[in-house]
Amino acid sequence: MDQLEMKKIAARAALKYVKPDTIVGVGSGSTVNCFIEALGEMREEIKGAVAASKKSEELLKAQGIEVFSANDVSSLDIYVDGADEITPHKAMIKGGGAALTREKIVASLAKTFICIVDSSKQVDVLGSTFPLPVEVIPMARSQVARKLVSLGGSPEYREGVTTDNGNVILDVHNFKILNPVEMEKELNNVAGVVTNGIFALNPANIVIIGTPDGAKVIE
């Protein structure tokens, strides 16, 4: 079974957590695209969605799902998103699609964070297979990069990428994150950092892993 099929399995399994007459928080990325496609089957049952990226917003509208701003809601029942890496403790690295800040904003509104992944995203230590994205105010790019080097990382400017917020991304390689909660806090306190791609302060509540044997749910 290929990776796309496993993503679809995880995405469809998340539909059972969608309650009628609610607004659904929706992240971004290839696995979430599968979820949006599946969610289109429930367009008449839900009120709509809050999207964490402009791309997801476009896909939701194409499915006939009304899109609300995060400012329009006080809370969300669920938020469904993917991850670039996830640990057994449900801490994640996200931001491969450069939507990490908006993903954190929408996730913070949700009572339940549901992470949908294929089995290749599972790691024991964050930073093992994927660089850590850090969203940075453009004028602080070099300053933040020097700080990341001092912390043991190898930051690389993501050429040609501007976030939906008008900022830039530094991808930090060779960064084994042994204490995700403390590292998330430390990086967010660096002047010029908008946020970083560690999701440990607000980890997933439920993880759905697409496997060749079906969906594995960890609650």
Side-chain angles (χ1 to χ4, degrees):
M1 180 179 290
D2 65 20
Q3 195 172 15
L4 178 59
E5 286 304 313
M6 288 190 284
K7 290 178 179 182
K8 288 180 178 179
I9 287 169
R12 293 201 67 84
L15 288 181
K16 78 171 190 175
Y17 296 95
V18 178
K19 296 178 183 176
D21 298 319
T22 60
I23 297 173
V24 182
V26 176
S28 62
S30 57
T31 311
V32 170
N33 293 347
C34 297
F35 174 71
I36 291 172
E37 183 177 351
L39 189 63
E41 300 169 14
M42 299 181 66
R43 67 176 68 86
E44 303 299 331
E45 300 173 47
I46 60 173
K47 290 181 180 177
V50 173
S53 71
K54 292 178 181 177
K55 175 66 174 175
S56 292
E57 184 175 332
E58 292 169 3
L59 292 173
L60 285 161
K61 288 179 177 177
Q63 290 289 336
I65 297 169
E66 184 174 357
V67 177
F68 294 86
S69 162
N71 290 319
D72 295 332
V73 300
S74 58
S75 67
L76 296 166
D77 188 59
I78 62 170
Y79 174 67
V80 180
D81 204 353
D84 299 304
E85 289 185 343
I86 187 163
T87 72
H89 299 291
K90 303 187 182 74
M92 296 160 281
I93 279 182
K94 296 176 47 53
L100 57 162
T101 299
R102 294 190 180 202
E103 288 169 347
K104 281 194 177 181
I105 291 168
V106 184
S108 71
L109 288 167
K111 298 171 186 172
T112 302
F113 186 156
I114 301 168
C115 181
I116 52 175
V117 291
D118 64 84
S119 55
S120 71
K121 302 299 193 294
Q122 296 175 280
V123 297
D124 290 323
V125 178
L126 292 181
S128 299
T129 64
F130 200 86
L132 173 67
V134 181
E135 182 166 349
V136 179
I137 302 290
M139 69 174 288
R141 188 183 88 194
S142 296
Q143 174 185 348
V144 172
R146 287 191 292 271
K147 176 64 175 178
L148 292 167
V149 169
S150 76
L151 292 172
S154 302
E156 180 181 351
Y157 172 49
R158 197 183 296 182
E159 294 278 357
V161 172
T162 301
T163 71
D164 286 350
N165 310 309
N167 299 313
V168 298
I169 297 288
L170 294 175
D171 290 309
V172 190
H173 299 263
N174 307 318
F175 215 32
K176 293 294 177 67
I177 302 162
L178 299 176
N179 190 331
V181 170
E182 291 307 313
M183 184 59 74
E184 182 177 358
K185 290 177 183 177
E186 181 170 3
L187 293 179
N188 281 347
N189 281 330
V190 175
V193 169
V194 180
T195 198
N196 69 86
I198 302 172
F199 283 60
L201 293 168
N202 183 21
N205 302 110
I206 298 169
V207 181
I208 303 175
I209 304 163
T211 77
D213 298 319
K216 178 184 177 183
V217 180
I218 303 170
E219 295 190 3

